[in-house]
């Protein structure tokens, strides 16, 4: 039976890229539609009337929104290369960290990059505390998922790739190698995996996009 | 031998979700009452990241975050399933669970405000309820389909807490003729024998809710 898989995404979004990473890891064929936010397509508005956001995933005519919900669906539907462990306790642990990353990291990183100068030190410290949790959680593993990429690694794509882009675009230092050696190592391993490497937005294009979109004129660090 | 402990706080909807899930599945557990003003060593040890309740401890292994706990309970005690078998339906249940939790500021705002701000907040929560009724519940008897599921336990905020918050805030969010389908669901939910046997005392809940509002409003003015 021919599967029909569509993904509405945005090339720069870590959230829609997460879905692409999972699809690539599992070798699933799909059609990708890039959305222009200033002009959302009728299909997007039809498929995600509630949030009007990407990613929106469509499988055999049935649509889903919310990247982590989509990832769980993909894992349940296509059993090759599982991204969640089998053991219920380990699954709970993976879900806990994926949820934590989703709720805290992007907004904290964003804040540290775009806040007023007088608030920066505190904002950067908050990001540091968050990064420390993940540094500890990695322990001696290659990936958060153990020997292979899992749900938490994919959810942490924000830290694996986008973080460095934010640092460069806004001139803020967040992920110091001396302080977070394991996390830095993990980030390098993460982006070398082919399913991930093929699904990260081009660096310079993303930096330019961030700078243009959010009006970075003045430099903060020389 | 199984050892299940639940660290919770009265009258938190998040703790009750877990209580309901355990009770619906007939899982024996020990309830440990936490005092958030004076957190126990046990809580700090079991949930170092958030230091919040609920925390489920199963054979000395802790799980935090109510929605993560609910999925763990479902996977560990699969009898009396609380999630559909079809992956798309499961994904929709997860979507709506996340939806309600993400919208919790909107759900609570009318209770935390006065005057014009409260008017605006009341309008917003009514719009939310409309979406929940039309798109979340739709034509189904329960959010979970034919029978109560995890999504119903999360939406249980509406039958159990919303009315109490309305009374404390002196505002009617759901008038008698409003949201007819949601009202039917509310009745069905409250009539479920397990839910009925595990509800917070309404008088105590109201007294607590009124007092809390006074404290919160006073601290805003200060």
């Amino acid at each position: 039976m021919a599967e029909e898989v569509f993904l509405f995404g945005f090339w720069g979004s870590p959230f829609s890229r997460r879905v692409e990473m999972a699809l690539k890891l599992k070798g699933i064929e799909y059609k990708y539609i890039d959305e222009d936010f200033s002009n959302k397509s009728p299909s997007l508005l039809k498929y995600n009337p509630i949030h009007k956001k990407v990613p929106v995933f469509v499988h055999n005519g049935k649509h889903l929104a919310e990247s982590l919900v989509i990832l769980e669906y993909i894992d349940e539907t296509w059993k090759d290369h599982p991204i969640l462990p089998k053991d219920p306790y380990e699954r709970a642990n993976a879900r806990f960290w994926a949820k934590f990353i989703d709720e805290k990291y992007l907004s904290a990183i964003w804040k540290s990059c775009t806040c007023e100068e007088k608030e920066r030190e505190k904002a950067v410290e908050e990001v540091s505390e968050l990064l420390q949790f993940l540094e500890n959680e990695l322990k001696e593993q290659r990936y958060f998922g153990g020997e292979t990429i899992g749900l938490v690694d994919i959810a942490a794509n924000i830290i694996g790739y986008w973080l460095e882009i934010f640092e460069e675009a806004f001139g803020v230092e967040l992920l110091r190698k001396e302080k977070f050696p394991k996390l830095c190592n993990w980030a390098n391993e993460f982006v070398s995996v082919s399913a991930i490497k093929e699904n990260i937005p081009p660096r310079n294009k993303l930096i330019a996009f961030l700078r243009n979109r959010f009006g970075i004129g003045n430099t903060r660090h020389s | 031998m199984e050892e299940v402990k639940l660290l919770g706080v009265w009258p938190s909807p998040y703790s009750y979700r877990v209580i309901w899930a355990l009770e619906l599945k007939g899982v024996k557990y020990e309830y440990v009452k936490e005092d958030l003003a004076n957190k126990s060593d046990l809580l700090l040890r079991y949930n170092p990241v958030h230091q919040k309740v609920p925390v489920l401890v199963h054979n000395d292994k802790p799980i935090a975050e109510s929605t993560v706990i609910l999925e763990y309970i479902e996977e560990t005690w699969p009898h009396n399933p609380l999630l559909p078998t079809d992956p798309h339906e499961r994904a929709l249940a997860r979507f709506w669970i996340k939806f309600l939790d993400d919208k919790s500021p909107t759900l609570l705002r009318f209770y935390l405000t006065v005057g014009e701000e409260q008017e605006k907040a009341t309008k917003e929560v009514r719009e939310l309820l409309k979406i929940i009724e039309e798109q979340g519940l739709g034509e189904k008897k329960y959010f979970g389909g034919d029978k109560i599921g995890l999504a119903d336990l999360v939406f249980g905020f509406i039958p159990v807490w919303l009315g109490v918050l309305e009374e404390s805030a002196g505002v009617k969010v759901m008038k008698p003729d409003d949201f007819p389908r949601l009202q039917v669901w509310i009745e069905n939910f409250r009539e479920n024998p397990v839910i009925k046997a595990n509800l917070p005392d309404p008088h105590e809940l109201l007294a607590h809710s009124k007092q809390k509002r006074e404290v919160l409003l006073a601290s805003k003015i200060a």
Side-chain angles (χ1 to χ4, degrees), chain A residues 126-182:
Chain A
E126 278 174 17
V127 174
S128 206
E129 282 169 14
L130 288 172
L131 293 174
Q132 192 62 53
F133 281 123
L134 291 183
E135 175 80 8
N136 297 342
E137 183 58 20
L138 256 175
K139 305 186 185 74
E140 301 309 318
Q141 298 178 131
R142 195 169 171 197
Y143 304 109
F144 289 100
E147 277 308 299
T148 53
I149 293 249
L151 181 75
V152 180
D153 300 274
I154 298 174
N157 67 351
I158 301 170
I159 296 125
Y161 184 74
W162 273 258
L163 180 56
E164 199 263 316
I165 305 281
F166 270 85
E167 289 178 308
E168 176 73 32
F170 297 93
V172 182
E173 200 178 354
L174 295 166
L175 185 63
R176 294 190 138 94
K177 196 171 179 150
E178 323 82 67
K179 207 169 176 212
F180 306 108
K182 287 190 229 163

Side-chain angles (χ1 to χ4, degrees), chain B residues 3-16:
Chain B
E3 216 200 43
V4 183
K5 269 204 256 263
L6 172 64
L7 277 67
V9 132
W10 185 93
S12 155
Y14 301 100
S15 297
Y16 269 90

Side-chain angles (χ1 to χ4, degrees), chain B:
Chain B
M1 202 199 85
E2 300 257 48
E3 216 200 43
V4 183
K5 269 204 256 263
L6 172 64
L7 277 67
V9 132
W10 185 93
S12 155
Y14 301 100
S15 297
Y16 269 90
R17 294 173 180 180
V18 179
I19 290 170
W20 291 331
L22 291 168
E23 294 281 346
L24 280 164
K25 289 182 180 271
V27 176
K28 296 263 172 289
Y29 64 100
E30 181 199 335
Y31 181 75
V32 177
K33 228 160 132 182
E34 275 293 326
D35 173 4
L36 291 179
N38 190 17
K39 293 175 184 179
S40 70
D41 289 336
L42 212 64
L43 176 61
L44 300 176
R45 189 176 104 212
Y46 283 140
N47 190 3
V49 173
H50 296 295
Q51 296 171 16
K52 286 202 250 179
V53 286
V55 177
L56 187 79
V57 188
H58 183 206
N59 295 334
D60 218 37
K61 292 201 246 182
I63 301 129
E65 289 297 297
S66 65
T67 55
V68 175
I69 296 170
L70 291 178
E71 297 253 16
Y72 177 81
I73 290 172
E74 177 66 5
E75 287 175 1
T76 306
W77 295 280
H79 59 278
N80 286 354
L82 298 173
L83 273 178
T85 39
D86 172 69
H88 187 252
E89 305 274 311
R90 290 162 79 83
L92 287 178
R94 289 176 176 131
F95 174 88
W96 286 103
I97 287 170
K98 183 173 200 287
F99 181 82
L100 190 81
D101 276 354
D102 286 349
K103 297 295 180 189
S104 114
T106 307
L107 282 169
L108 296 175
R109 201 168 290 124
F110 77 91
Y111 163 75
L112 298 169
T113 48
V114 289
E116 238 181 82
E117 231 191 310
Q118 189 186 53
E119 267 176 52
K120 181 166 178 259
T122 305
K123 188 162 172 274
E124 282 172 3
V125 72
R126 286 174 60 79
E127 281 163 9
L128 200 62
L129 289 173
K130 185 161 188 268
I131 293 173
I132 290 169
E133 183 186 63
E134 289 178 5
Q135 302 190 51
L137 187 60
E139 303 294 325
K140 305 194 296 287
K141 185 176 182 191
Y142 294 102
F143 286 91
D146 294 323
K147 53 191 190 76
I148 253 194
L150 293 185
D152 297 273
L153 303 188
V154 169
F155 279 94
F157 171 82
I158 298 169
V160 184
W161 280 267
L162 187 62
V164 169
L165 297 186
E166 286 177 292
E167 208 178 321
S168 307
V171 153
K172 247 327 181 182
V173 168
M174 278 185 89
K175 302 193 184 86
D177 292 332
D178 286 338
F179 313 114
R181 268 179 279 146
L182 205 54
Q183 304 263 19
V184 171
W185 170 77
I186 287 170
E187 291 266 336
N188 286 328
F189 182 83
R190 293 188 72 99
E191 282 305 304
N192 177 292
V194 171
I195 303 293
K196 210 165 165 173
N198 288 283
L199 289 174
D201 177 272
H203 301 291
E204 281 178 36
L205 193 59
L206 182 61
H208 170 93
S209 176
K210 280 184 167 161
Q211 194 213 19
K212 197 169 174 191
R213 185 168 191 261
E214 275 174 32
V215 170
L216 287 165
L217 288 177
S219 70
K220 269 169 124 180
I221 299 162

